[in-house]
Amino acid sequence: MIELCFRNMKVCFRFSFFAAVALLMLCSGSSYAVYSFYACLLHESGHLAVMLLFGQPVKKLVFYGAGIKIIRPRNDLLNKYGREFCIVCSGCAVNLVIYALTAVFPCTAALREFGEANLAVGMFNFLPLSFLDGGKAIILMFFRLFSYETAERLEKILKWVNIITVPAAAVILFIVGLRNFTVYVTLIFLLFTSVMM
């Protein structure tokens, strides 16, 4: 693991991050892998920008095989719902705005591919899985709209729905004839993360 310090924030690069990037480059054979990597960086930059706007400190930025993770100090996790909702949704918003700009304005084929990579990253992160931005936004709404006990129950139900839905999606995709190795690896990752979270 490589660890760098910038003021009060640590930036960590785990071996799995470099392995995942190398595997993506080998399997992809196109610039789409690089565009996806940049889209992920922009996604996390959106979260970081809004956190800095609200004066939220960042303890650690971790680059690992499954992406990039922002770790905040424990005492800073209790935000107002509106602020936390903005922080959670800001990454996807950046990706979708970039896609919209490349879709609306005339641009080169390379920029269109970059826009499509941003769309894919934004939509993937907005899936209603409890560990992705979409799921976190739903859980925030649970705690905003319902009592604490009801929100906790709904959060557990969402987790079980995730655990059931991911294998069901894999079966449906296999039945309809999708034979894409990357999709099934992603679904296995989603199932594993759903169970572990």
Side-chain angles (χ1 to χ4, degrees):
M1 179 171 66
I2 300 169
E3 192 169 287
L4 308 168
C5 291
F6 296 99
R7 296 188 182 178
N8 296 328
M9 181 178 75
K10 291 181 181 177
V11 179
C12 304
F13 295 90
R14 294 195 176 149
F15 172 74
S16 61
F17 170 74
F18 297 109
V21 170
L23 184 64
L24 187 61
M25 297 289 195
L26 284 171
C27 293
S28 174
S30 73
S31 55
Y32 199 78
V34 176
Y35 296 150
S36 298
F37 175 69
Y38 289 144
C40 289
L41 287 176
L42 287 166
H43 179 93
E44 297 304 328
S45 297
H47 290 306
L48 286 171
V50 175
M51 288 172 71
L52 292 173
L53 182 69
F54 291 143
Q56 303 293 307
V58 176
K59 184 179 179 182
K60 193 184 281 189
L61 198 58
V62 181
F63 291 76
Y64 67 112
I68 306 164
K69 189 174 190 177
I70 299 170
I71 299 172
R72 295 190 263 178
R74 276 195 183 279
N75 61 355
D76 202 57
L77 293 177
L78 294 174
N79 266 325
K80 292 184 177 177
Y81 289 107
R83 285 186 172 199
E84 193 62 31
F85 192 80
C86 287
I87 290 169
V88 166
C89 294
S90 57
C92 295
V94 166
N95 294 131
L96 296 177
V97 165
I98 290 170
Y99 168 72
L101 290 173
T102 60
V104 170
F105 296 105
C107 56
T108 64
L111 275 175
R112 272 195 303 279
E113 272 189 21
F114 179 60
E116 290 165 2
N118 273 279
L119 177 65
V121 168
M123 295 305 290
F124 177 81
N125 277 285
F126 215 66
L127 288 173
L129 300 170
S130 53
F131 54 91
L132 294 176
D133 294 340
K136 289 176 185 174
I138 290 170
I139 291 166
L140 280 170
M141 286 191 275
F142 288 162
F143 282 95
R144 180 70 175 151
L145 299 173
F146 303 104
S147 69
Y148 186 82
E149 294 78 18
T150 304
E152 273 194 327
R153 267 196 307 274
L154 290 170
E155 185 178 4
K156 286 177 185 172
I157 290 169
L158 179 64
K159 179 181 176 178
W160 282 105
V161 167
N162 294 164
I163 291 170
I164 294 165
T165 305
V166 173
V171 169
I172 291 166
L173 290 172
F174 189 79
I175 289 170
V176 298
L178 182 70
R179 303 291 186 262
N180 185 314
F181 176 73
T182 309
V183 169
Y184 292 107
V185 169
T186 303
L187 288 169
I188 289 168
F189 163 75
L190 292 175
L191 179 61
F192 177 75
T193 311
S194 294
V195 171
M196 297 304 290
M197 293 298 278

